Amino acid sequence: MIDLNNTQCPACKTSKLKQTQNDVKNDAIYDRGIICNHCGKAYAVIWGVPYLGTFRQEEILSLIEIAASSNEYSISKKAKGNDYMFWINLVE
């Protein structure tokens, strides 16, 4: 279970969030994984992490661009490590 204590709904600002799935898998995406019992707004749980973000309609093109380029920023197991220059180059 995801601990939603002290967490409020971004839409209505109440603390009425409830998880809809008892068993959340870390390799799954739940489109309506969290629901606000006050306003009915639904939020995703992505790979075990609740996503309580909201977007405006005019941001859709930016979201599509982020999704399309997300593979560019993945890190192979070989590249992981304590090499600080790798992390600096990744951020740049």
Side-chain angles (χ1 to χ4, degrees):
M1 293 293 287
I2 297 171
D3 182 8
L4 295 170
N5 291 323
N6 300 316
T7 305
Q8 68 177 349
C9 173
C12 70
K13 310 294 187 233
T14 65
S15 297
K16 306 270 186 191
L17 296 174
K18 298 292 179 197
Q19 186 175 335
T20 61
Q21 306 287 322
N22 286 331
D23 184 28
V24 174
K25 295 178 172 66
N26 289 341
D27 61 349
I29 296 174
Y30 303 91
D31 186 43
R32 298 175 56 83
I34 297 173
I35 300 281
C36 178
N37 284 338
H38 183 260
C39 71
K41 178 83 173 156
Y43 300 96
V45 176
I46 302 171
W47 303 318
V49 178
Y51 181 75
L52 303 177
T54 57
F55 293 101
R56 294 184 304 268
Q57 186 173 3
E58 61 268 17
E59 296 174 319
I60 190 67
L61 292 178
S62 295
L63 294 174
I64 292 169
E65 182 179 0
I66 290 168
S69 64
S70 64
N71 282 342
E72 290 180 35
Y73 302 105
S74 65
I75 302 169
S76 69
K77 288 182 181 179
K78 180 179 163 187
K80 289 181 185 176
N82 294 326
D83 179 14
Y84 74 94
M85 286 306 297
F86 167 77
W87 295 103
I88 291 171
N89 291 333
L90 181 67
V91 170
E92 289 176 350

